[in-house]
Amino acid sequence: MTQAPSPRQRQPLPQDLAGALAALLGERFSTAAAVCEHHGRDESLYDPVAPDAVVFARSQDEISAILRLCHQHRVPVIPYGSGSSLEGHLLAVQGGISLDVSQMDQVLEFRPEDLSITVQPGITRKALNEYLRASGLFFPIDPGADASLGGMCATRASGTNAVRYGTMRENVLGLTAVLADGRVLPTGSRAKKSSAGYDLARLFIGSEGTLGVISEITLKLHPQPEAISAAVCSFASVDEAVRTVIETIQMGVPVARAELVDALAIGALNRHFKLSLNEAPTLFLEFHGNASSVAEQAETVQGLAAGNGGSGFQWATQQEERNRLWSARHNALFAFLQLKPGCRASSTDVCVPLSRLAECVAGTEQDLRQSSIPAPIFGHVGDGNFHVCLLLDPDNPAEVEEAERLNRAIVQRALAVGGTCTGEHGVGLHKMDFLLEEHGLVAIDTMRAIKQALDPLNLMNPGKIFR
Amino acid sequence: MTQAPSPRQRQPLPQDLAGALAALLGERFSTAAAVCEHHGRDESLYDPVAPDAVVFARSQDEISAILRLCHQHRVPVIPYGSGSSLEGHLLAVQGGISLDVSQMDQVLEFRPEDLSITVQPGITRKALNEYLRASGLFFPIDPGADASLGGMCATRASGTNAVRYGTMRENVLGLTAVLADGRVLPTGSRAKKSSAGYDLARLFIGSEGTLGVISEITLKLHPQPEAISAAVCSFASVDEAVRTVIETIQMGVPVARAELVDALAIGALNRHFKLSLNEAPTLFLEFHGNASSVAEQAETVQGLAAGNGGSGFQWATQQEERNRLWSARHNALFAFLQLKPGCRASSTDVCVPLSRLAECVAGTEQDLRQSSIPAPIFGHVGDGNFHVCLLLDPDNPAEVEEAERLNRAIVQRALAVGGTCTGEHGVGLHKMDFLLEEHGLVAIDTMRAIKQALDPLNLMNPGKIFR
């Protein structure tokens, strides 16, 4: 495993604070080692750094009361949703408490006629769509994990549907956040657009818990498409697959999903999910619309794929077949882990301008050929966003170092072409240096000034995003 | 006319500053009364409040040098694009200089393969689309005026296409701003999405010049649709027209434009543009796609319109006919002004959740029936955004007061249903109280804290958005 930048032993909370939290929350205040340990880790390779205590909030009022108490006692607070972040976001590197909102998982108000819904931050994306299923509406943002909506706001999450529906940035009408001193801050409105003052909602989306705790979210919903069609198509090279996607976007085809999965990844999917896909670089495509528009979109893309040597264009218009394909794509990580028994996965995450995607993927492939680490490439190539899943033995320092080296090369190639060091995972602990490299010191200083303005005591998830 | 909250006489700049600006800019530094007067007004009803001087910048470096000088001398700076703002944004209520970027109107880099373009802030939306015309791409955001892109960022502008393509919020990949002390702040990247730190681009979009001067903008472009179809359809009441739009959106029809124009407005358009539209509440609709999808969308909406008693569904598939209709819609203001010779127009601007739009428009109609001010209703109803064009004699205090009363009633009705006090015009001087009413004190205090963090001397467009 990788040691966090600030490894740290748990320390007892100030006694007054512990007493007040216990009085407020009863058994929902915990200092049990296992509970703390569980809340001090995420899906990154970092060794856990446990918080000193964990609290489970059940309402916005409770969040506010907890923050007021922690503010009085100058104790850091780390918001916790489903624990699925990927860059060390949840590690208690400066101690303090983990504020778990997973019990705040209710729908507060569903307004189907407005295509919007107000939810608590702990509801997960799957639970939300389960709730919506019979309504004819859905919420499209689907990061790999069954993340909480609060966490998805905090990391500006996206996923496979972003190419058509946008990311969390585009799909939140407003949110309420509780500030470090316990004040409740409403942002946005229920209107679809607004020019009323600074865009505080967008400031919190992507703030990774460093500015406050998101306590309520009003989301934009979308009508479930009348018709859906999915296809897979394989190519001789990643380059040709990527070019097909680039041409699709440039032609304005409103493709709903355009996912690349490389040959190594397809092999893993075939074995794990008993599929028989051609073991070659493959696009998973999905089209949303009505019967005729879906057919047209698909025909256009099939033509583009053929022009790039794509073959075996397989259609899945039946829901069952489609679900089987996409479930394999969504659960690819489990298949990847089988490629190297006992390994852990570390996922890179860059996003580049579409025109530079092919060269960035090609450069990455070359890096990987010179590496001993098995590393499938996959990603949301319609957005220029791709991942490499580095499969390594976390107890082997040489492999961990090699993974860091590969990650660095991939990020630096992305930055060199005007891309970003993270398309959807966020900065956390792991990408603080890259953030500086991407935006420069004036930007980091500006972010720091905003942090200082909203959280002058530096209590909200301190030590993340920037130093 | 209406006196600005802080009327003010022009004062000479500190001599050192005037000398330094003259040395830097030559004739592009002006203290001529006419130039200053011109830069101290916008399209609002406020009496002008002239700046003490005007500077015309030609590069980002010049903007930076100007801001450094003004910072040294503690002199306010008001960014100026095309002067088309609507709520008093440009008035020099605390003196200082107007920084005119209209000469910075160049395309810096066009990347058609990425569907993006980097421009200087002074380019106007029409000039931009003229530049793009042969490329097969376009930039969809179209506020009423031929505004500058910098100004459109500053007010988070939108327009008729926003229902399909989003607003400035969704169509800026990144921007560069010069901070009050002259430091240059890059934000965003050229990638389509990013989770790299606080969303500083979105913070500047809608900041109305109060946080810095926008000096470069990277925009998202869209493929020109293969097929476009436009239609007008009239209804017995505004309510039925609005319901048709609500049902269209709820069904997921990707309508590109859905504009309401009331009977009074249609009469004005008929007379001014020699049209022969039915003088009844009317929808102007536009569909983008390919031939078959456009036909399908239109058929669906025609069915919905019929269900709401819509009649006279007129098609305009020929570009010339379409342009004639939309040109009338875009230039409606000139027609409206003819309704009352010598009048000026003051436009309200609220946006409400779609489900509450019909009742808000109905309430507004009732307000207007009890008023002597001619006031056509029109707007981007697909987004829940509508305007009332109050036609009044600016020298008649009773009419000005009546207009204020109507505006207040319209805003308060919007806020009561979860809407916003401004859908696209911004806050400026005119809506500061409404902003507080909409978001509450914690939000205003948070905006103030951010302003203080980025502009501690309060030099950037001071006295706007909040007090």
Side-chain angles (χ1 to χ4, degrees):
Chain A
M1 304 290 276
T2 311
Q3 207 168 68
S6 320
R8 181 182 177 280
Q9 295 302 310
R10 286 180 57 213
Q11 289 169 12
L13 291 181
Q15 215 170 350
D16 284 1
L17 175 60
L21 290 171
L24 179 70
L25 302 164
E27 288 187 353
R28 292 184 286 114
F29 166 70
S30 173
T31 54
V35 174
C36 292
E37 188 85 356
H38 175 74
H39 283 78
R41 64 168 76 240
D42 63 5
E43 297 296 327
S44 70
L45 290 182
Y46 287 119
D47 286 322
V49 183
D52 302 320
V54 177
V55 293
F56 297 85
R58 285 201 182 143
S59 70
Q60 181 168 283
D61 286 348
E62 278 189 359
I63 294 176
S64 175
I66 292 162
L67 290 187
R68 268 198 309 274
L69 285 169
C70 289
H71 191 255
Q72 280 165 22
H73 292 275
R74 311 287 194 260
V75 167
V77 176
I78 303 155
Y80 187 100
S82 69
S84 59
S85 56
L86 289 156
E87 302 289 0
H89 296 78
L90 299 172
L91 278 63
V93 289
Q94 299 187 22
I97 70 162
S98 172
L99 198 170
D100 185 321
V101 298
S102 62
Q103 296 179 19
M104 291 175 65
D105 61 353
Q106 297 301 299
V107 169
L108 297 174
E109 195 184 348
F110 177 32
R111 294 171 299 275
E113 69 284 6
D114 287 329
L115 286 74
S116 82
I117 193 167
T118 302
V119 299
Q120 291 187 308
I123 193 170
T124 68
R125 66 175 181 86
K126 286 184 185 169
L128 173 61
N129 278 315
E130 195 52 46
Y131 178 94
L132 292 170
R133 191 175 356 191
S135 71
L137 300 173
F138 80 117
F139 185 70
I141 319 297
D142 63 340
D146 187 20
S148 68
L149 268 294
M152 287 165 64
C153 284
T155 54
R156 205 181 293 130
S158 49
T160 65
N161 286 304
V163 61
R164 173 156 180 160
Y165 298 94
T167 72
M168 289 305 285
R169 184 172 73 192
E170 289 81 20
N171 286 282
V172 172
L173 292 174
L175 56 79
T176 303
V178 184
L179 297 171
D181 58 9
R183 284 178 303 153
V184 174
L185 169 69
T187 74
S189 76
R190 288 179 180 179
K192 206 178 142 204
K193 63 184 198 181
S194 169
S195 287
Y198 299 166
D199 194 345
L200 298 180
R202 249 44 59 185
L203 185 61
F204 276 81
I205 296 167
S207 64
E208 305 189 7
T210 63
L211 298 178
V213 181
I214 295 168
S215 54
E216 260 186 46
I217 311 155
T218 296
L219 300 164
K220 211 185 273 188
L221 302 174
H222 298 264
Q224 288 170 12
E226 202 178 303
I228 299 181
S229 169
V232 292
C233 179
S234 64
F235 294 83
S237 71
V238 165
D239 187 65
E240 285 156 326
V242 167
R243 286 188 193 288
T244 301
V245 174
I246 294 175
E247 291 166 13
T248 299
I249 303 293
Q250 286 172 348
M251 281 194 62
V253 177
V255 60
R257 291 166 151 169
E259 298 282 305
L260 171 74
V261 184
D262 79 353
L264 178 61
I266 292 287
L269 294 182
N270 277 343
R271 280 187 290 284
H272 192 71
F273 296 105
K274 316 264 180 286
L275 300 171
S276 52
L277 299 165
N278 186 14
E279 296 200 7
T282 299
L283 289 181
F284 282 54
L285 299 161
E286 195 168 280
F287 306 98
H288 293 178
N290 57 30
S292 67
S293 74
V294 157
E296 264 191 25
Q297 292 175 52
E299 195 186 329
T300 305
V301 176
Q302 191 160 3
L304 297 173
N308 285 297
S311 65
F313 214 85
Q314 285 181 37
W315 286 102
T317 43
Q318 295 308 307
Q319 190 173 352
E320 196 183 337
E321 204 182 340
R322 224 168 46 228
N323 287 352
R324 206 166 67 103
L325 274 178
W326 280 108
S327 153
R329 165 62 194 86
H330 259 125
N331 296 298
L333 180 62
F334 303 106
F336 296 167
L337 291 172
Q338 304 304 314
L339 290 170
K340 179 168 170 172
C343 73
R344 281 199 62 173
S346 174
S347 176
T348 68
D349 167 41
V350 294
C351 190
V352 299
L354 212 53
S355 67
R356 313 305 291 269
L357 179 61
E359 73 188 81
C360 285
V361 174
T364 302
E365 286 190 295
Q366 200 165 346
D367 289 346
L368 295 176
R369 272 195 293 273
Q370 290 156 13
S371 165
S372 63
I373 295 182
I377 300 176
F378 63 106
H380 320 306
V381 288
D383 291 317
N385 184 202
F386 70 97
H387 307 291
V388 179
C389 186
L390 303 163
L391 299 168
L392 51 91
D393 172 359
D395 298 320
N396 180 337
E399 289 199 3
V400 171
E401 197 179 309
E402 169 73 353
E404 287 298 315
R405 192 187 62 75
L406 289 167
N407 185 44
R408 202 176 311 119
I410 292 166
V411 168
Q412 281 167 344
R413 189 176 293 112
L415 296 184
V417 300
T420 177
C421 69
T422 166
E424 54 183 6
H425 295 170
V427 177
L429 289 172
H430 196 207
K431 289 192 164 166
M432 293 198 282
D433 291 333
F434 295 137
L435 189 74
L436 175 60
E437 213 170 315
E438 178 172 338
H439 292 301
L441 196 56
V442 175
I444 303 299
D445 280 346
T446 302
M447 293 185 200
R448 272 202 199 98
I450 292 168
K451 163 77 171 169
Q452 168 76 17
L454 269 67
D455 176 20
L457 301 179
N458 192 27
L459 299 178
M460 293 305 314
N461 204 6
K464 310 294 162 62
I465 302 187
F466 37 73
R467 294 196 172 82
Chain B
M1 304 290 278
T2 311
Q3 207 167 69
S6 319
R8 184 183 175 278
Q9 294 303 311
R10 287 180 57 212
Q11 288 169 14
L13 290 181
Q15 214 169 352
D16 284 1
L17 174 61
L21 290 172
L24 179 70
L25 301 164
E27 289 187 354
R28 292 184 286 112
F29 166 70
S30 173
T31 54
V35 175
C36 291
E37 188 85 355
H38 175 74
H39 283 77
R41 65 168 75 241
D42 62 6
E43 298 295 326
S44 69
L45 291 183
Y46 287 119
D47 286 322
V49 183
D52 302 319
V54 178
V55 294
F56 297 85
R58 286 202 180 141
S59 70
Q60 181 168 285
D61 286 349
E62 278 189 359
I63 295 177
S64 175
I66 293 162
L67 290 187
R68 266 198 311 274
L69 286 169
C70 289
H71 191 255
Q72 280 165 22
H73 292 275
R74 311 289 193 258
V75 167
V77 176
I78 302 156
Y80 186 100
S82 69
S84 59
S85 57
L86 290 156
E87 303 288 359
H89 296 79
L90 298 172
L91 278 62
V93 289
Q94 299 186 22
I97 69 162
S98 173
L99 198 170
D100 186 320
V101 298
S102 62
Q103 297 180 18
M104 291 175 66
D105 61 353
Q106 297 302 298
V107 169
L108 297 174
E109 196 184 349
F110 177 34
R111 294 172 299 276
E113 68 285 7
D114 286 328
L115 287 71
S116 81
I117 193 166
T118 301
V119 299
Q120 290 186 311
I123 193 170
T124 68
R125 65 175 183 86
K126 286 184 186 170
L128 173 61
N129 278 316
E130 195 52 46
Y131 178 94
L132 292 170
R133 199 194 325 214
S135 71
L137 300 174
F138 80 118
F139 185 70
I141 318 298
D142 63 340
D146 188 20
S148 68
L149 268 294
M152 288 165 64
C153 284
T155 54
R156 204 180 294 129
S158 50
T160 66
N161 285 303
V163 60
R164 173 156 179 160
Y165 297 95
T167 71
M168 290 304 286
R169 184 172 74 193
E170 288 82 19
N171 285 284
V172 172
L173 292 173
L175 56 80
T176 303
V178 185
L179 297 171
D181 59 8
R183 285 178 302 153
V184 175
L185 169 69
T187 73
S189 76
R190 290 179 178 178
K192 205 177 141 205
K193 63 184 200 183
S194 170
S195 288
Y198 298 166
D199 194 345
L200 298 180
R202 249 43 59 183
L203 185 61
F204 275 82
I205 295 168
S207 64
E208 304 188 7
T210 63
L211 297 178
V213 182
I214 294 169
S215 55
E216 258 187 47
I217 311 155
T218 296
L219 299 164
K220 211 185 275 188
L221 302 174
H222 299 264
Q224 287 169 11
E226 202 179 303
I228 298 181
S229 171
V232 292
C233 179
S234 65
F235 295 82
S237 72
V238 166
D239 187 65
E240 284 156 328
V242 167
R243 287 189 193 288
T244 301
V245 174
I246 295 175
E247 291 166 14
T248 299
I249 303 292
Q250 286 173 348
M251 281 193 63
V253 177
V255 60
R257 290 167 152 171
E259 299 282 305
L260 171 74
V261 185
D262 78 354
L264 179 61
I266 292 286
L269 294 183
N270 276 345
R271 280 186 289 283
H272 193 69
F273 296 104
K274 317 259 178 288
L275 300 173
S276 52
L277 298 166
N278 186 13
E279 297 200 8
T282 298
L283 290 181
F284 281 55
L285 299 161
E286 194 168 280
F287 306 98
H288 293 178
N290 57 31
S292 67
S293 74
V294 156
E296 264 191 24
Q297 292 175 52
E299 196 185 330
T300 305
V301 177
Q302 191 160 4
L304 296 173
N308 285 298
S311 64
F313 214 85
Q314 286 180 37
W315 286 103
T317 44
Q318 296 309 307
Q319 191 174 347
E320 196 184 337
E321 205 182 338
R322 224 169 45 228
N323 287 353
R324 206 166 67 103
L325 274 178
W326 280 108
S327 153
R329 165 63 194 86
H330 259 127
N331 296 301
L333 180 63
F334 302 107
F336 296 167
L337 290 171
Q338 305 305 316
L339 289 171
K340 179 168 171 171
C343 72
R344 281 199 62 176
S346 174
S347 175
T348 68
D349 168 40
V350 294
C351 189
V352 300
L354 212 53
S355 67
R356 314 302 292 270
L357 179 60
E359 72 188 78
C360 285
V361 174
T364 301
E365 286 190 295
Q366 200 166 346
D367 288 347
L368 295 176
R369 271 194 295 271
Q370 290 156 12
S371 165
S372 63
I373 296 183
I377 300 177
F378 63 107
H380 321 307
V381 288
D383 291 317
N385 184 200
F386 70 97
H387 307 292
V388 179
C389 186
L390 302 163
L391 299 169
L392 50 90
D393 172 359
D395 298 320
N396 179 338
E399 288 199 6
V400 172
E401 195 181 311
E402 169 73 353
E404 287 298 315
R405 194 187 60 76
L406 289 167
N407 185 44
R408 202 175 313 119
I410 291 165
V411 168
Q412 282 167 344
R413 189 177 293 112
L415 297 184
V417 300
T420 177
C421 68
T422 165
E424 54 183 7
H425 295 171
V427 177
L429 289 172
H430 196 208
K431 289 193 163 166
M432 293 198 282
D433 290 333
F434 295 136
L435 189 74
L436 175 61
E437 213 170 316
E438 178 172 339
H439 292 301
L441 195 56
V442 175
I444 304 300
D445 281 345
T446 302
M447 292 184 200
R448 272 201 197 100
I450 292 168
K451 162 79 171 168
Q452 167 77 16
L454 269 67
D455 176 21
L457 300 179
N458 193 26
L459 298 177
M460 295 305 314
N461 203 6
K464 311 293 162 63
I465 303 186
F466 37 74
R467 294 200 170 81

